[in-house]
Amino acid sequence: MHQPWLNGMELLEDALRNKNFLTSGLEEMDMFLHGGFRVGQLTELVGPSSSGKTQVCLQVASNVARKYNGTVVYLDTGNSFSPQRIAQILGQSSDPANSQVKYQNLQNIMRNILCHSVFDIFGLFDVLHQLQFQLKLQNGKGDCHGRLLIVDSVSSLITPVLGGSGSLGRALMVAVGFLLKKLAHEHNLAVLVTNHTVAGEGGICKPALGESWKSIPHVRLLLYHERGSNICKISILKHPSMASGKAARFVMLPDSEHKGEPGMKRTV
Amino acid sequence: MKGFEVDLTRLRGGIFHFRRQKEDLRLGGIESEGDEKMDVWRLPISASLRGKLISAGYTSVTSLSSVSSANLAQDLNISNSEALNVLKVASHSGGSECLNENPSIINGAQNAWDLLHEEESLTHITTSCADLDGILGGGIHCKEVTEIGGVPGIGKTQLGIQLAVNVQIPHEFGGLGGKAIYIDTEGSFMVERALQIADACIEDMSEYNRFLRKDCQPCQMKMEPKDILEKIFYFRICSYTEQIALINYLDKFIAEHKDVKVVVVDSVTFHFRQDFEDMALRTRVLSEMALKLMKLAKKFSLAVVLLNQVTMKHAEGSFQLTLALGDSWSHSCTNRVILYWKGDERHAYIDKSPSLRSASAPYSVTTRGIRNSASSHKRIKMM
């Protein structure tokens, strides 16, 4: 079916009505991103191992499920989806209500988060096609609340097929990128993927997946976690409406039960 | 293939419990067919009608959602009631999904709530060091890949052997009652040492038995060190080709030995550091292997433990110790534990984990295996 042409006014209307921001629940981060993660866009989190990418994913998933009562689809490639951590994040920020209500709430929120393990790129295509079909079916029904798709991590699926002499790997990678963007745009999803870093020239870390991938995400954010401290740095590598290079520092607290605060805090 | 498998006696069959395996969560509905284009094939209608639908261009169920029965009747050259019937069937097959009590938009996906309960019901593999278990949240987790790295002599292999023994602690003692696969790439597995650790483990269990079950009927201590050694499947790997082949084969092997609950690879690094010249190829091969190990862990609900070596890395103007195999590899584990010396005491540090906070704890390597550091050698954590 041919997509109807849209003029600028119609696009603006669509953007205002459907392409809102999903907050992460981390006040500082939402402020830094001017509202959070945008529906219709593909946001990429880049960072070295244990820089907090999965923590941010779990945090955003929890918040979207709670605040917007939205459905979150979490595609996990590293067995690192931790329901325990989600319960912890939700437990910290929920109101101190009576325990029965709290339990019921937690249950309802956590039922909105669906996790699926994916261990190769063809499995990813399968799941995404299925998701596309289901969303098409649901579209008529108009239940358009915040929806989020997370792929943690997309790079570990692409790395095994990328490179070498053939260009098939690159084709698959770009196809995944475009399918994710298509889903984001047509079905009003916010899409969040994670990517790892590789050593570039002079030992400086750069995002993996190379130049062809670089142009695909709308937003690229670099996470960096200083070893032996709680400080986590986030900076913009690419953003459609913000200058790249802008950075903020947070304190990452993997387990902040004692502090009674959300998982990240800004440092001075 | 030079690698061989030690499986001296055929094992007595043990009934394997899939802990709360939730097949029923795979909510029905549309099959996991990726391509929705031709899904009219799955409509329960006659073959001739299906043929007519496809030749008229109605190849997907969605294409039927916006057409009226009159138009469809005209396009297919069938009666209006037949067309109505087709539309009814089509809308039913699409709509049933949403009427489900627990709607799942992806087949095989599980919601976080169910996963939480599943996770809580899983038993962890104790390290026999209460402090280490403490920071690990009870021990090594099943369904996850844990990488353990450290300098030579810190006790990586010791920990590997200990886990291969401890995975066999029976259910009555709070263990998993499973079997172990030990993949040895360096030739560092020592069977005498395994026997020693097994002996100590059984001793501890019987002591625990006497201590806690004085009043109750004593639990029969049927286990002998011999039994423990029999339940360790040992593979000796002499090249990276063999290593890849073995990991590809494990899926089949574990499907036949479903009570395997831990796979130890000692070390995952060795051959990949020796023979490889094309580093880009190495990255590809390693990341594919990592995904296969992830899949094994998830599919069979077992713990994968990868032992890794350390290397010097030049970063930020200084040299620091990191685990070998590079940046891409560092993403291929769920948890990472670094073993290091602090003075003359051994410590373990949680470097990466989605659910555990970073923490460190001392441990020691004794003749009896991995134990708490210093004074509390006798203490073994069973629950």
Side-chain angles (χ1 to χ4, degrees), chain B residues 187-342:
Chain B
S188 51
F189 183 87
M190 279 167 298
V191 71
E192 294 88 353
R193 185 71 181 124
L195 186 67
Q196 228 173 14
I197 290 174
D199 262 329
C201 179
I202 286 172
E203 235 172 75
D204 280 334
M205 277 193 283
S206 48
E207 189 182 315
Y208 172 84
N209 210 16
R210 268 203 310 282
F211 187 67
L212 276 180
R213 291 165 202 252
K214 265 181 285 195
D215 331 320
C216 328
Q217 193 173 344
C219 184
Q220 285 299 306
M221 277 304 303
K222 291 170 296 206
M223 268 177 114
E224 281 183 49
K226 179 170 80 63
D227 298 332
I228 289 190
L229 291 190
E230 274 170 10
K231 288 183 187 169
I232 300 176
F233 300 107
Y234 173 83
F235 295 87
R236 175 78 174 94
I237 293 299
C238 298
S239 77
Y240 69 83
T241 326
E242 281 182 26
Q243 189 170 338
I244 295 163
L246 174 63
I247 285 169
N248 289 341
Y249 165 67
L250 277 185
D251 188 70
K252 186 167 177 286
F253 184 85
I254 298 172
E256 286 161 8
H257 301 85
K258 281 207 169 150
D259 33 11
V260 168
K261 286 282 115 186
V262 70
V263 176
V264 181
V265 188
D266 178 16
S267 68
V268 75
T269 340
F270 187 71
H271 296 300
F272 288 92
R273 286 183 93 176
Q274 311 296 318
D275 315 332
F276 255 91
E277 280 178 9
D278 182 349
M279 293 311 256
L281 179 66
R282 189 181 86 163
T283 305
R284 280 205 299 285
V285 167
L286 278 172
S287 55
E288 191 174 350
M289 191 176 83
L291 284 172
K292 292 222 165 92
L293 290 168
M294 285 288 173
K295 191 174 180 178
L296 284 178
K298 189 81 179 184
K299 184 173 171 190
F300 297 105
S301 184
L302 52 81
V304 174
V305 177
L306 307 175
L307 306 182
N308 195 357
Q309 301 168 343
V310 287
T311 184
M312 293 299 264
K313 189 186 170 191
H314 185 75
E316 290 152 13
S318 66
F319 285 96
Q320 37 186 230
L321 278 180
T322 53
L323 295 195
L325 295 182
D327 288 337
S328 294
W329 173 258
S330 64
H331 294 267
S332 39
C333 57
T334 317
N335 307 297
R336 184 165 48 241
V337 180
I338 309 257
L339 307 178
Y340 63 100
W341 289 102
K342 190 178 187 180

Side-chain angles (χ1 to χ4, degrees), chain A residues 183-195:
Chain A
L183 281 170
H185 176 70
E186 287 181 4
H187 302 287
N188 297 322
L189 299 176
V191 180
L192 185 60
V193 300
T194 61
N195 185 4

